[in-house]
Amino acid sequence: MKLLLYDMGAYTQNDIMDALDKLGISYKNVLYKLSSLYQDAYFEKRIAEFLTQEKYDAVFSINYYPVLAEICYSHSLPYLSWTYDSPIQIPEIEKTLGYKTNYIFFFDKAECENYWKKGYYNVFHLPLAVNTHRLDKVKITEDDKKKYQAQISMVGQLYETGIPTYMMPLELYDKGYLSGVIETQLRLYGSYILKDVITDEIVDRINKRYKALKLENVTLTKEILTIEMAKHITCLERTLILEVLSNEYQVKLYGPDGKQNLGKVTWMGSAGYFDEMPKVFKLSDINLNISLKCIASGIPLRVLDIMGCGGFLISNYQPELAEYFTDGEDIVWYTSLEEVAVKCQYYLQHEAERREIAQKGYEKVKELFCYENRLLFMLQKAGLQL
């Protein structure tokens, strides 16, 4: 078997290739930045040449690309796509999604179910994976301990958005409605309501208001407003939690956002995915995961990265976490803003328990979330045999 891989620079690409090597599957990896998700003359020509020069059993990519779907459909070749973004933000995706050559795998079950309801049965639910073989090889030096050790660490951006600016010109009713939605979703865990409560009617009313005020360059769609709201709520949650915790504990933030007023949080700059992040996870007493709100049910890659390093994790509750893990046994999650501080205090005072949970979590993701099993599942669904 031989696969043609499209590489857009995803963090997980190297782990995919490592797993293919272990499975004895040959492949050609094509690293390229598309000029458009839908068409790219040079890319299309090169892929067609590859498919003509050698026999490939399928094309694979991290995330979904309509241009690849078109190419594979025209060559009657299976196209396997595995998303690690949610929701997948591709306008007019349904023009190509239903191609019989497509096999699309979503890590978020709720997003997958939305497409099932629309009659797309070539989409599948497949959680993300972690390469513990790679993470086990990360060595910790004394200098690393001085730099990365912390009581509490979080790796991630704060997602500042234009929502406050968008809301400023609105009528009091709509402004109050959106404020209420923000407050409700901020405190609601295990349920994602934005896609249901942000209606076309509300979006139309907002755009009419902009037009009446002659804000001609500002036009929102339901999809844009929903995603921006989700990012804004995530920003509020992350900022609030980090600021509160930093008043009591040593808190380090790794990410691109360094100018915000975050209490006593120490901003460490961005952490490299392969060389720095594993050291942060291994050397922090507590690693925080605060998921992007629009990940409705799935397990984010950050969760698996932390647990795959043997790091102790406190995460917001996600429905799919409960399908694989047990709170207080191999993971710790919170279901309210108030609960975060309580659990951080408890586990900082109980090191032995913390280490036991982290070890059990590591063993579980090593067994259940390995790349080799994920790839075999995809190949099976596409009717491909080793």
Side-chain angles (χ1 to χ4, degrees):
M1 177 182 293
K2 187 169 186 177
L3 303 179
L4 183 63
L5 311 182
Y6 169 58
D7 185 351
M8 57 81 167
Y11 291 134
T12 55
Q13 192 78 16
N14 287 340
D15 291 329
I16 291 288
M17 292 189 287
D18 183 57
L20 290 173
D21 290 336
K22 288 184 171 65
L23 291 170
I25 298 174
S26 62
Y27 57 87
K28 181 181 183 66
N29 191 60
V30 180
L31 178 61
Y32 181 77
K33 184 176 181 180
L34 286 166
S35 60
S36 166
L37 296 174
Y38 305 94
Q39 57 184 15
D40 183 313
Y42 174 78
F43 179 75
E44 293 172 52
K45 179 182 177 183
R46 291 295 290 151
I47 295 298
E49 289 174 353
F50 292 144
L51 297 179
T52 302
Q53 293 165 0
E54 295 186 64
K55 183 183 183 305
Y56 293 93
D57 296 282
V59 174
F60 172 90
S61 71
I62 297 296
N63 283 343
Y64 178 77
Y65 298 91
V67 62
L68 277 177
E70 293 280 9
I71 294 170
C72 290
Y73 183 66
S74 66
H75 285 79
S76 299
L77 190 66
Y79 172 40
L80 284 62
S81 166
W82 190 13
T83 69
Y84 78 165
D85 290 327
S86 182
I88 190 167
Q89 299 179 55
I90 300 177
E92 301 182 329
I93 186 175
E94 294 179 13
K95 286 186 174 181
T96 58
L97 189 65
Y99 286 168
K100 63 182 180 180
T101 46
N102 283 348
Y103 299 86
I104 314 303
F105 301 85
F106 291 89
F107 84 90
D108 188 293
K109 183 185 291 185
E111 184 174 12
C112 189
E113 289 174 343
N114 287 335
Y115 286 108
W116 288 341
K117 292 175 183 177
K118 295 180 179 181
Y120 291 97
Y121 300 113
N122 61 335
V123 302
F124 308 90
H125 173 235
L126 185 65
L128 296 172
V130 63
N131 185 354
T132 56
H133 306 291
R134 170 175 59 82
L135 296 173
D136 287 346
K137 297 176 183 177
V138 175
K139 304 300 181 184
I140 302 298
T141 67
E142 290 302 315
D143 287 341
D144 291 332
K145 292 178 182 178
K146 293 175 184 178
K147 182 176 181 179
Y148 299 113
Q149 277 183 334
Q151 288 183 298
I152 301 172
S153 294
M154 191 190 87
V155 177
Q157 59 181 305
L158 297 181
Y159 290 112
E160 286 208 334
T161 72
I163 287 297
T165 303
Y166 292 151
M167 290 176 59
M168 193 178 300
L170 301 184
E171 298 280 5
L172 287 178
Y173 175 84
D174 291 323
K175 190 180 295 185
Y177 183 85
L178 293 183
S179 296
V181 169
I182 289 169
E183 182 64 25
T184 301
Q185 185 68 83
L186 177 63
R187 296 186 171 275
L188 189 62
Y189 292 91
S191 181
Y192 179 61
I193 64 171
L194 294 185
K195 60 183 175 58
D196 297 317
V197 300
I198 303 298
T199 64
D200 292 328
E201 179 185 356
I202 292 169
V203 175
D204 288 342
R205 200 160 58 237
I206 289 173
N207 285 325
K208 286 179 181 178
R209 175 65 173 172
Y210 291 158
K211 187 175 182 179
L213 294 173
K214 300 188 184 305
L215 301 174
E216 301 294 345
N217 294 328
V218 183
T219 303
L220 296 176
T221 64
K222 178 178 177 179
E223 291 72 22
I224 290 174
L225 181 57
T226 302
I227 294 297
E228 289 298 294
M229 289 275 285
K231 290 180 178 179
H232 178 69
I233 295 165
T234 304
C235 178
L236 292 176
E237 182 180 5
R238 291 183 176 185
T239 300
L240 177 61
I241 289 174
L242 291 171
E243 193 169 355
V244 168
L245 292 176
S246 72
N247 290 327
E248 298 291 333
Y249 312 108
Q250 177 196 32
V251 178
K252 291 182 178 181
L253 170 65
Y254 295 82
D257 313 280
K259 297 181 180 179
Q260 288 74 12
N261 181 17
L262 284 175
K264 300 176 183 178
V265 173
T266 301
W267 178 61
M268 301 293 291
S270 296
Y273 183 81
F274 295 101
D275 56 343
E276 293 185 285
M277 278 176 50
K279 296 177 181 180
V280 174
F281 299 151
K282 290 173 180 286
L283 292 171
S284 299
D285 294 338
I286 293 175
N287 292 282
L288 285 179
N289 172 68
I290 304 172
S291 301
L292 183 59
K293 283 295 182 181
C294 52
I295 301 177
S297 69
I299 301 174
L301 183 62
R302 186 62 36 80
V303 165
L304 300 177
D305 286 337
I306 292 169
M307 299 178 77
C309 286
F312 178 78
L313 167 69
I314 294 183
S315 173
N316 63 289
Y317 173 77
Q318 291 282 102
E320 290 181 53
L321 284 177
E323 295 181 20
Y324 296 92
F325 305 103
T326 302
D327 184 30
E329 181 176 308
D330 44 29
I331 196 174
V332 174
W333 60 61
Y334 64 90
T335 56
S336 72
L337 295 172
E338 295 77 12
E339 193 177 10
V340 185
V342 172
K343 291 199 169 182
C344 283
Q345 180 185 45
Y346 176 84
Y347 285 106
L348 284 173
Q349 295 173 352
H350 295 80
E351 181 179 359
E353 190 172 349
R354 195 173 70 230
R355 291 183 180 277
E356 182 179 358
I357 291 171
Q359 181 61 31
K360 287 182 178 179
Y362 166 81
E363 292 169 357
K364 181 162 284 188
V365 297
K366 183 177 182 178
E367 176 187 359
L368 300 180
F369 290 81
C370 70
Y371 275 95
E372 292 89 332
N373 289 345
R374 294 288 185 260
L375 289 169
L376 289 173
F377 178 86
M378 285 188 273
L379 295 174
Q380 178 190 14
K381 288 298 181 182
L384 301 172
Q385 302 293 328
L386 290 182

